[in-house]
Amino acid sequence: YEFTSELLQQIRRTGGKYLFMTNNSSKSVDKYIEKLGRLGIESVADDFLTSTEATIAYLRTKNHKKIYAFGTASFRRQLADAGLTITDTLEEGIDCLCLSNDQELTFKKLEDASILLLKHDVEYIATNPDWVCPTWYGSVPDCGSFAEMLFRATGKRPKFIGKPEPDMIYLA
């Protein structure tokens, strides 16, 4: 990590810019700043671009009245803090389903998403297509796996925003 810290400092000293990009939509940028800090790498919020931020940028180009935010409390908070009208309960007026990596997954969320896709034909967005998310013990299902599960139930696929799709790269 020592070499990484030196390299990043040199990039800044010479007027360059770098960007950490992640498809992990379950954590906020603050958590990544803390993580890098523990590794001895100083960073600020502008050093990061997450699939959640890229998704927010995409959603801001739309005029959705209400977005069903399928994800963690952190994910929902980030969308709400960005000024988007969100909900995590099935109610009138929802015109978009926004799926993310959800470590707080419940059957109710899967059922709500299925109803929205089958009965209401809402726009369907997903933060990233990753099948798995690495952990200290191996991998767990990620957003792409949840999207595949919903596809098997509804026949509908989302518009993915995160890497390797171009939306996030263009935003960077």
Side-chain angles (χ1 to χ4, degrees), residues 17-54:
K17 174 135 174 77
Y18 54 85
L19 194 59
F20 298 106
M21 295 175 65
T22 179
N23 270 353
N24 191 334
S25 55
S26 66
K27 297 178 185 172
S28 67
V29 169
D30 292 344
K31 296 296 181 195
Y32 286 106
I33 292 170
E34 289 174 19
K35 182 178 181 177
L36 287 182
R38 287 191 303 273
L39 298 173
I41 300 170
E42 291 183 36
S43 60
V44 297
D46 286 346
D47 295 336
F48 295 86
L49 178 59
T50 68
S51 60
T52 299
E53 292 170 317

Side-chain angles (χ1 to χ4, degrees), residues 86-107:
I86 63 134
T87 185
D88 63 351
T89 58
L90 198 56
E91 55 192 60
E92 290 297 317
I94 296 170
D95 54 358
C96 179
L97 169 62
C98 188
L99 177 68
S100 73
N101 181 3
D102 192 352
Q103 297 160 348
E104 301 159 7
L105 181 65
T106 64
F107 184 81

Side-chain angles (χ1 to χ4, degrees), residues 7 31 52 102-103 108 123 126 135 147 150-151 168 170:
L7 173 65
K31 296 296 181 195
T52 299
D102 192 352
Q103 297 160 348
K108 179 69 173 135
E123 182 174 12
T135 69
L150 288 169
F151 170 72
M168 192 167 168
Y170 293 141

Side-chain angles (χ1 to χ4, degrees), residues 4-159:
T4 302
S5 185
E6 289 175 23
L7 173 65
L8 297 177
Q9 288 173 17
Q10 179 63 24
I11 290 170
R12 280 203 175 137
R13 273 194 301 273
T14 60
K17 174 135 174 77
Y18 54 85
L19 194 59
F20 298 106
M21 295 175 65
T22 179
N23 270 353
N24 191 334
S25 55
S26 66
K27 297 178 185 172
S28 67
V29 169
D30 292 344
K31 296 296 181 195
Y32 286 106
I33 292 170
E34 289 174 19
K35 182 178 181 177
L36 287 182
R38 287 191 303 273
L39 298 173
I41 300 170
E42 291 183 36
S43 60
V44 297
D46 286 346
D47 295 336
F48 295 86
L49 178 59
T50 68
S51 60
T52 299
E53 292 170 317
T55 300
I56 288 167
Y58 174 82
L59 289 170
R60 283 183 170 156
T61 68
K62 304 294 186 169
N63 287 321
H64 292 298
K65 293 180 178 90
K66 193 180 295 180
I67 300 164
Y68 186 103
F70 186 126
T72 62
S74 173
F75 174 72
R76 293 190 307 274
R77 187 172 37 258
Q78 288 175 74
L79 267 58
D81 288 349
L84 299 170
T85 302
I86 63 134
T87 185
D88 63 351
T89 58
L90 198 56
E91 55 192 60
E92 290 297 317
I94 296 170
D95 54 358
C96 179
L97 169 62
C98 188
L99 177 68
S100 73
N101 181 3
D102 192 352
Q103 297 160 348
E104 301 159 7
L105 181 65
T106 64
F107 184 81
K108 179 69 173 135
K109 291 178 186 178
L110 292 169
E111 184 177 45
D112 287 352
S114 295
I115 291 168
L116 288 168
L117 293 173
L118 290 170
K119 298 294 182 188
H120 300 282
D121 198 31
V122 299
E123 182 174 12
Y124 181 24
I125 308 300
T127 57
N128 64 284
D130 297 350
W131 289 95
V132 295
C133 182
T135 69
W136 63 271
Y137 55 84
S139 297
V140 296
D142 201 335
C143 185
S145 292
F146 301 144
E148 186 64 21
M149 189 170 22
L150 288 169
F151 170 72
R152 297 296 173 175
T154 69
K156 308 247 173 128
R157 293 212 185 266
K159 172 181 175 42

